Amino acid sequence: MPALNTFSHHESQSSFGEKIKSQSKALVIFLLLNGVVGAGFTNCEKKEFNKTREKKEWFSPSSLQKDTLSSEIIIIRDAGMCFYIVQEDDTLEKIWKKLQTLEEFSYLKAKRYQPRGEKRNIRGFNIPGNQLKPGLEVPIPKDKEQIKIPLEQFSSYSLEAIDGLKSDPTYGFYVKLLLAKIGNKELVNVMCAFAKSESAQKTILGGRDEIGSLEFHRWEPKYHCFSFSPYHILMEKNADGESPGPGLRAKKKLGFTNGKIYHPKYAGALFLAYWIEKTNFSSEKLVQYLNINSLKDAEQTGKIYNGSSKYGEKLWANLQYVRKTLK
């Protein structure tokens, strides 16, 4: 079956949920037998973890839908996420107050979501107020209790992403080559470490904050666009202002939408495809950057991914934490 079917945008919500439930037990057994994550994954069998997992299945892979909620509130519904379309004279404060009057977004009343003027609120809308312009689609923050993901659960979705992408006609060859070099277990570790570095509140000191304690979107002023997913994949265009950058190219080739890549399964596929695009389909560079065995390696990879070698310190600390936790 082609990989594009595996990540079909038209996959129904019910079939997605049934697929997760039916594969859950088999996935745990597979992981344990193949040494992908080890005994730490037995939490999947616990009743309380299953309850948490069911609670977090907010994702709905439905088609894009424009929804006019009032004369002043128009949103785009996309795979369980909602994007507010900025109107004339809107400010973040106005948007925040308008949305919280609706029952669907009443959780936004919490102070943690309150805009901070020209500064980004990394736990809220995560865009400076002076960057708003009419027509811009601004992600509406999800309820934090829905979007936080335990490390063990994120790692299982990462494995699903790897398995799905292996048979992709564009990226499958490079994923298999990468797996031959570092293996399933280590690739999952690297993916989790990147996600923790991008979207967990505390990363180096303790490392225990769940992925999703920070928003999965972030406005990038330098590139005048958002980055999306737990990995904050940049959706920028190239210097010519027209051709898509590696994140946009990967998203288009996989047939994903901005809302869809909030889910860790599809985010994981995008993350790997992004790196393949970023390295210009160079298997040598792909292995070089994702085979991280030292702080020096992490600094090199961090500079490519984030633009700063200092990012490597955080990435290396998180990778060691993930390896220890999922061993």
Side-chain angles (χ1 to χ4, degrees):
M1 181 180 293
L4 290 182
N5 288 339
T6 305
F7 295 119
S8 172
H9 181 65
H10 300 288
E11 185 178 21
S12 69
Q13 183 176 8
S14 59
S15 65
F16 182 83
E18 290 170 2
K19 183 178 179 182
I20 291 296
K21 290 178 182 178
S22 64
Q23 290 182 349
S24 178
K25 189 171 183 179
L27 179 62
V28 173
I29 295 172
F30 173 84
L31 293 172
L32 291 172
L33 290 177
N34 289 275
V36 175
V37 292
F41 230 99
T42 56
N43 285 336
C44 289
E45 300 279 26
K46 294 182 180 179
K47 186 175 181 181
E48 62 268 24
F49 188 83
N50 285 333
K51 281 185 178 180
T52 302
R53 182 164 187 151
E54 290 171 7
K55 178 183 176 183
K56 295 181 187 304
E57 290 296 348
W58 51 266
F59 178 78
S60 172
S62 57
S63 58
L64 292 168
Q65 177 186 349
K66 191 174 183 179
D67 195 352
T68 301
L69 302 181
S70 74
S71 60
E72 295 185 343
I73 303 177
I74 303 174
I75 65 173
I76 300 293
R77 298 188 185 277
D78 178 5
M81 280 300 299
C82 293
F83 296 79
Y84 175 88
I85 300 178
V86 177
Q87 308 296 307
E88 290 284 352
D89 301 321
D90 263 339
T91 65
L92 280 180
E93 191 78 16
K94 285 183 180 179
I95 295 171
W96 177 60
K97 289 182 177 179
K98 282 193 290 186
L99 288 172
Q100 64 184 255
T101 63
L102 303 174
E103 183 178 355
E104 179 179 2
F105 304 112
S106 59
Y107 60 88
L108 292 175
K109 294 177 182 178
K111 190 174 181 180
R112 66 177 295 145
Y113 301 104
Q114 185 174 5
R116 298 176 181 174
E118 304 309 314
K119 296 182 179 180
R120 292 184 304 188
N121 180 356
I122 58 177
R123 296 181 296 177
F125 289 92
N126 213 2
I127 178 174
N130 60 7
Q131 297 295 306
L132 294 180
K133 58 182 179 180
L136 181 66
E137 297 176 10
V138 176
I140 300 174
K142 293 292 291 185
D143 186 331
K144 288 299 172 292
E145 294 310 310
Q146 287 186 314
I147 207 167
K148 285 182 181 179
I149 308 171
L151 183 60
E152 291 86 354
Q153 184 180 351
F154 193 90
S155 64
S156 74
Y157 281 129
S158 299
L159 186 64
E160 290 180 31
I162 294 169
D163 287 343
L165 206 59
K166 281 193 298 187
S167 52
D168 184 85
T170 302
Y171 302 115
F173 170 81
Y174 299 92
V175 173
K176 291 176 183 177
L177 186 148
L178 186 58
L179 290 173
K181 294 291 184 180
I182 69 175
N184 261 327
K185 179 178 180 180
E186 183 59 11
L187 184 53
V188 167
N189 288 343
V190 169
M191 293 168 72
C192 290
F194 266 99
K196 279 188 65 63
S197 298
E198 290 291 329
S199 53
Q201 182 75 35
K202 294 179 182 178
T203 52
I204 295 178
L205 299 177
R208 295 180 180 178
D209 269 17
E210 291 179 332
I211 295 167
S213 56
L214 299 182
E215 280 301 325
F216 287 171
H217 59 264
R218 180 173 63 207
W219 181 259
E220 309 287 354
K222 180 179 178 180
Y223 300 96
H224 306 289
C225 67
F226 278 105
S227 57
F228 291 114
S229 87
Y231 302 98
H232 289 148
I233 302 294
L234 193 61
M235 296 290 117
E236 95 282 18
K237 293 182 179 179
N238 289 323
D240 60 14
E242 296 293 333
S243 59
L248 282 174
R249 292 198 303 271
K251 187 181 73 168
K252 182 177 181 180
K253 290 177 184 178
L254 290 171
F256 293 171
T257 62
N258 290 336
K260 192 164 188 173
I261 57 179
Y262 275 69
H263 191 284
K265 172 183 174 182
Y266 304 100
L270 180 68
F271 172 78
L272 295 174
Y274 167 83
W275 269 107
I276 295 169
E277 293 281 352
K278 181 77 171 177
T279 55
N280 198 25
F281 293 81
S282 167
S283 55
E284 181 180 351
K285 289 183 178 179
L286 182 66
V287 172
Q288 176 186 345
Y289 293 136
L290 295 185
N291 187 20
I292 303 172
N293 295 304
S294 66
L295 174 59
K296 184 178 180 180
D297 289 344
E299 288 174 341
Q300 173 186 247
T301 301
K303 191 169 185 178
I304 294 295
Y305 193 78
N306 178 265
S308 170
S309 59
K310 291 183 179 180
Y311 183 86
E313 297 177 11
K314 178 167 63 174
L315 178 62
W316 179 240
N318 280 319
L319 182 55
Q320 292 183 90
Y321 174 81
V322 170
R323 285 170 175 166
K324 181 179 179 180
T325 304
L326 298 180
K327 65 181 179 180

